[in-house]
Amino acid sequence: MGKLILVRHGQTQMNVEGIFFGKLDPNLNEVGKEQCKKTKELLKNRYKYDHIYSSDLKRASETAQIVNFLNLPIQLDERLEEIDFGIFEGLSYKEILEKYPKEAKKSQDEWQTFDFVTGESLGSLQKRAINFVESLNKEKDNLVVTHWGVINCILSWYFSNELESYWKYNVENGGICIIEFADNFPILKGLNIG
């Protein structure tokens, strides 16, 4: 029985400012680095891992470097990147409403299928996230450092119908989620630990 240990990256200044950012690539701020140090201690006291993977975006790869207490080689994978918000990237919600009111309304009303203009849809994000998870050896313990959207897509896929429960999880920066696979059957063992 293997574990999928999902860790959300630490805080960035864009998180603090409420900016929409998926493909934008900020570093961790000081609070984010402290969150990662606490996450490392939690992991060290509770979990082992055979492999460590990370999104190749800086906020995730920096988090992976900090939490990697076993000093294993970190395997970067672009399938673990956050959703591409397209024309919303770099804007606050208020700015999006002012600049793109039609698209903002559509993104709320049709959130499961909305394709962010010049970006991607949640369905596309979920497809690549699940493609990544299904490529893993689920009999091993895999530590995966990634983003809020990716984690919620994975949880929603395994514990509801595709995107049905996407908005029902609240994983904080530096938070840990644990899925155990018993004969390929997913069991949620921890949500937002830390």
Side-chain angles (χ1 to χ4, degrees):
M1 180 169 10
K3 288 184 187 69
L4 179 62
I5 306 163
L6 298 164
V7 173
R8 184 181 176 199
H9 66 79
Q11 186 186 83
T12 71
Q13 197 53 35
M14 286 186 173
N15 289 123
V16 175
E17 294 168 4
I19 301 295
F20 276 63
F21 68 108
K23 296 300 184 188
L24 293 179
D25 204 12
N27 292 311
L28 297 175
N29 63 19
E30 289 309 309
V31 170
K33 290 174 187 173
E34 288 305 312
Q35 288 169 333
C36 295
K37 288 174 188 171
K38 288 178 184 169
T39 301
K40 176 182 180 176
E41 290 308 308
L42 279 170
L43 290 169
K44 193 189 286 191
N45 292 327
R46 296 186 192 189
Y47 305 104
K48 63 172 183 58
Y49 51 96
D50 300 297
H51 304 283
I52 178 170
Y53 301 88
S54 175
S55 158
D56 55 353
L57 295 172
K58 280 186 269 191
R59 57 196 183 270
S61 60
E62 284 178 24
T63 298
Q65 288 165 23
I66 295 170
V67 303
N68 184 15
F69 68 89
L70 293 175
N71 294 315
L72 295 180
I74 299 169
Q75 301 173 61
L76 301 179
D77 197 308
E78 62 187 18
R79 291 175 292 179
L80 294 170
E81 289 180 1
E82 183 59 284
I83 192 168
D84 185 343
F85 287 110
I87 58 173
F88 292 0
E89 288 272 336
L91 302 175
S92 68
Y93 184 62
K94 184 178 179 214
E95 290 170 325
I96 291 166
L97 289 176
E98 288 169 0
K99 202 168 179 181
Y100 302 109
K102 272 196 279 185
E103 292 86 350
K105 179 154 177 33
K106 196 171 179 185
S107 75
Q108 290 174 350
D109 294 344
E110 302 170 23
W111 65 269
Q112 289 197 31
T113 56
F114 179 73
D115 204 342
F116 287 93
V117 181
T118 73
E120 66 184 322
S121 68
L122 270 179
S124 300
L125 170 61
Q126 189 173 59
K127 185 176 179 181
R128 65 177 161 84
I130 298 308
N131 177 274
F132 168 80
V133 174
E134 291 300 315
S135 73
L136 298 174
N137 180 346
K138 293 200 199 74
E139 291 179 18
K140 299 286 187 183
D141 293 328
N142 296 293
L143 175 57
V144 176
V145 182
T146 186
H147 308 266
W148 188 91
V150 175
I151 293 171
N152 281 29
C153 277
I154 292 169
L155 293 172
S156 186
W157 177 270
Y158 286 111
F159 302 109
S160 73
N161 182 23
E162 297 184 2
L163 287 166
E164 183 181 295
S165 64
Y166 177 80
W167 292 108
K168 296 180 180 175
Y169 307 102
N170 182 24
V171 183
E172 302 289 341
N173 291 109
I176 304 166
C177 298
I178 309 290
I179 302 173
E180 268 185 10
F181 288 96
D183 294 326
N184 220 25
F185 183 80
I187 303 162
L188 186 59
K189 298 290 280 190
L191 180 65
N192 205 30
I193 299 166

